[in-house]
Amino acid sequence: MDIGDTPLWTREALQAATGGSLQGEPHSVTGASIDTRTLQPGDLFFAIRGETRDGHDFVRSALEKGAGAAVVAQGRAGEFSSFGPVLAVPETGEDPVLDAMRAIGRAARARSHAGIVAVTGSVGKTGTKEALRHVLSAQGETHASVASYNNHWGVPLTLTRMPENARYGVFEIGMNHAAEIVPLTAQVRPQVALVVTVEPVHIEHFRSLSAIADAKGEIFSGLEPGGVAIINRDNPNFPRLLAHAQASRAGRIVTFGEHEEADVRANRIVTRPDLSVVDATVMGVPVTYQLGTAGRHVAMNSLGVLAVVHSLGADLARAAISLAGLKPPVGRGERTALTIKEGEAFLVDESYNANPASIRAALSTLAGIEVTGRGRRIAVLGDMLELGPSSEQHHRELADAVRANGIDLVFTAGSMMRHLFEALPVANRGAAAATSAELVDAVLDRLRPGDAVMVKGSNSIRMGRIVEAVKARYASATDPRDAQLKAAP
C-alpha cells in the first residue's frame, strides 16, 4: 500500500468480503466510485453494468486516473491486469460487480459502530438527510449519502464509502415500485428509520396512495432489534405506517407533527422570507429554534430531524442550535439576489424535482416572500412525471394552489403543465412552451425589479436551464439575505 491516508479498505478486507482475488499491488483505497467522470485517485472503481453501458468499458480509464483498484468480473480480469490492480470477483448473479459492491457494503455495515439512520418519504427525504448530516456533523464524524444516492446502486455505494470510525451514518432510501426498499433497508440495518411523509409521487406504479404508504413502510423491516421507527403523525396514512412499524423489530415508535398526540410537536411555526422559527416540544422538553431555510414544509421536517437526534442519544440542544446554519442545497430552495434595471429581484431555485405536494409547498414558500414596488410573485413550472392516468388532473388542480397563494404570474413548460396554464385566469398566464428551453426567453423578458420568481419541475424537464439563464443575465453580487431583509415587514 502507498503511504498516505488510512485506507478505507485493505486487500484482505476486500477479498474476504467478496470472495475475490486482488491481482497486483493496490494503491491506498480511500474512496469508491462507479463513474470515471467523478473518480478521484484512490477510489475503488466498480465496473457495474448500467442501462446502456458496461462499466468494464471504463476500467482502463479508471486505472489511468489513479483508481486504488478496479472491481471486475473474474472472466474479464485478464483484459486489465497490465493497466493496474484489479479485484476479480466470482461471476454469480446478473451483475457480479454490483453483487460485490453489495457484499463490501454489508462488510462496511458489519464493522461499523456508528449510529445508523435510514430516511425515506415521498417528498423531502434528501433535504431531511442533508439536515441530519448538518446537525450530526457538529457532534461527530458523520457519513451520509451523496446527492440522492438512494437506489439499488446508490445505497451499497454509500455503505462502501462509510469509514470504519464514523460516529453517525445517514442513508437516504428511495423507491419507484413496491418491494424496492426491503433489500436496501436490509443492507443499511438502521437503528433509527424515518418516514418523512407519504404523497402521490411515482403513483403511476401504484394502485393507490395507501400502496405508496405500504412501500414506504418497508423501511421499518430493516430496523435493528429494539430500534426506533419515526413517523409523521399528521399524514393521513399514519395508521398504515404505524402498522408497519408495529410489525417490525422496533422497540419504540416516535411520532412528529402538529398533532396534539405527536411525541415531537410543533406548537408554533413562524415563517420569514429566508428563515423559520419553530417553537416545539421534543419528548416533553420545550425547544425553540431557528431554521436557516424558509418554508413550512422544511420546518415540519425539522421535527423529524430532532426526533432522530433524540433517538440516537445525541445532544438535542446542540442540534437545535445547528439548524440555524442549515442552507438549502442547489435546486432545493437555493436563493439568489438579482439585479434588474438597477432594481432588486429574487430567485428561488426549486428545480431539482417536482410532484404535487412539493409544488404546493414551493408555492406556499413563494407566497411568504415580500415583493416590492411593482414586483410580482412568479412561478415557472415544468411537468410533474410518474403520476399515471391522473396526471392531467394533478396538473390542473394546481390552479387552486396558485390562487390560494396569491401567485401573480405562471409560466409553464411541458404538455402536462399546459393543463394548469389553461386552468388559470388570463391575467395570471405568463407563457407556456413545450420545453424548458423554449420558455427561457419568455421568462427573461418578463422579469422586472421587485419580482420574486420560483422555478420548479421534474428532473427530466430540465428546469435548471431556466435558473442558469436567469442567473447568467441578472444574478447580483448581493447576499440574497440582504435583499430579503429589506423586503421583510
Side-chain angles (χ1 to χ4, degrees):
M1 292 278 182
D2 292 343
I3 297 174
D5 296 335
T6 301
L8 182 65
W9 293 100
T10 63
R11 171 194 289 270
E12 294 74 21
L14 290 172
Q15 292 183 152
T18 62
S21 173
L22 213 166
Q23 302 169 12
E25 185 61 28
H27 307 298
S28 182
V29 175
T30 54
S33 174
I34 62 170
D35 189 339
T36 54
R37 293 170 297 182
T38 56
L39 182 142
Q40 299 297 311
D43 280 353
L44 184 66
F45 176 70
F46 291 91
I48 66 172
R49 293 173 187 155
E51 294 182 2
T52 58
R53 301 295 296 271
D54 186 336
H56 288 84
D57 297 339
F58 303 94
V59 169
R60 179 174 179 177
S61 173
L63 292 170
E64 289 174 346
K65 287 186 171 184
V71 184
V72 301
Q74 196 167 44
R76 301 195 60 179
E79 301 174 33
F80 312 111
S81 57
S82 62
F83 302 116
V86 295
L87 176 63
V89 296
E91 298 196 43
T92 56
E94 185 176 332
D95 187 344
V97 177
L98 181 56
D99 288 341
M101 186 164 72
R102 291 178 179 135
I104 297 172
R106 287 192 294 270
R109 178 64 184 89
R111 73 183 184 181
S112 175
H113 299 288
I116 302 294
V117 184
V119 180
T120 195
S122 301
V123 185
K125 56 183 174 291
T126 300
T128 302
K129 177 260 298 181
E130 287 301 317
L132 282 165
R133 182 210 298 270
H134 177 77
V135 301
L136 292 173
S137 292
Q139 303 191 34
E141 181 172 352
T142 300
H143 176 72
S145 308
V146 173
S148 295
Y149 282 16
N150 61 26
N151 62 5
H152 67 287
W153 58 260
V155 170
L157 179 62
T158 303
L159 278 166
T160 297
R161 290 171 167 174
M162 183 164 62
E164 187 173 359
N165 62 348
R167 184 174 177 184
Y168 302 107
V170 186
F171 294 82
E172 179 180 337
I173 298 181
M175 63 85 191
N176 292 324
H177 299 81
E180 287 183 340
I181 285 180
V182 170
L184 301 180
T185 188
Q187 293 173 53
V188 173
R189 291 168 41 211
Q191 284 112 18
V192 181
L194 164 66
V195 178
V196 178
T197 191
V198 174
E199 301 290 348
V201 181
H202 306 304
I203 200 166
E204 70 172 331
H205 304 303
F206 294 90
R207 67 183 184 279
S208 65
L209 195 56
S210 295
I212 294 178
D214 288 337
K216 296 299 183 184
E218 293 172 12
I219 197 169
F220 301 131
S221 69
L223 271 171
E224 289 286 88
V228 183
I230 301 177
I231 307 171
N232 185 332
R233 187 65 179 81
D234 298 342
N235 192 270
N237 281 280
F238 168 73
R240 210 168 189 98
L241 292 171
L242 179 63
H244 283 276
Q246 291 172 331
S248 74
R249 296 179 293 182
R252 190 154 54 98
I253 297 171
V254 174
T255 62
F256 70 95
E258 292 180 292
H259 194 283
E260 61 181 10
E261 296 178 6
D263 299 307
V264 180
R265 181 184 178 188
N267 303 312
R268 189 169 68 109
I269 297 174
V270 179
T271 59
R272 295 296 187 199
D274 197 39
L275 57 85
S276 301
V277 178
V278 183
D279 178 15
T281 303
V282 181
M283 308 302 288
V285 178
V287 180
T288 299
Y289 57 96
Q290 179 177 302
L291 280 165
T293 303
R296 185 175 180 81
H297 59 296
V298 178
M300 293 303 297
N301 291 344
S302 73
L303 300 173
V305 169
L306 293 185
V308 170
V309 169
H310 185 275
S311 300
L312 288 172
D315 190 321
L316 182 64
R318 192 172 177 185
I321 293 170
S322 296
L323 285 170
L326 182 66
K327 300 301 177 189
V330 174
R332 292 185 172 90
E334 182 189 48
R335 297 171 176 229
T336 303
L338 308 175
T339 299
I340 302 176
K341 298 178 181 177
E342 299 183 353
E344 293 177 336
F346 191 60
L347 170 68
V348 182
D349 178 8
E350 288 275 6
S351 63
Y352 177 74
N353 214 339
N355 52 64
S358 66
I359 284 188
R360 284 185 169 85
L363 291 172
S364 176
T365 300
L366 179 60
I369 298 174
E370 293 293 326
V371 295
T372 58
R374 297 174 58 241
R376 304 151 299 175
R377 295 180 181 88
I378 300 172
V380 185
L381 306 174
D383 279 359
M384 305 177 291
L385 304 184
E386 299 185 14
L387 294 178
S390 301
S391 181
E392 180 179 327
Q393 177 184 347
H394 282 298
H395 284 81
R396 187 184 302 109
E397 288 177 347
L398 289 175
D400 293 335
V402 169
R403 285 190 289 269
N405 287 291
I407 308 305
D408 300 296
L409 208 56
V410 176
F411 294 81
T412 65
S415 58
M416 283 292 105
M417 202 55 82
R418 181 91 193 194
H419 296 293
L420 165 63
F421 189 82
E422 293 174 351
L424 294 171
V426 173
N428 296 128
R429 298 178 187 176
T435 68
S436 58
E438 295 173 81
L439 195 61
V440 169
D441 288 341
V443 173
L444 292 176
D445 292 344
R446 294 289 295 276
L447 293 183
R448 67 191 189 200
D451 284 346
V453 56
M454 181 272 293
V455 181
K456 193 164 183 65
S458 286
N459 282 333
S460 60
I461 308 302
R462 298 187 64 187
M463 299 301 284
R465 67 184 5 144
I466 296 177
V467 172
E468 292 166 5
V470 171
K471 286 182 177 181
R473 180 176 295 188
Y474 297 122
S476 72
T478 306
D479 186 326
R481 194 177 290 242
D482 295 339
Q484 293 167 75
L485 290 176
K486 292 178 182 178

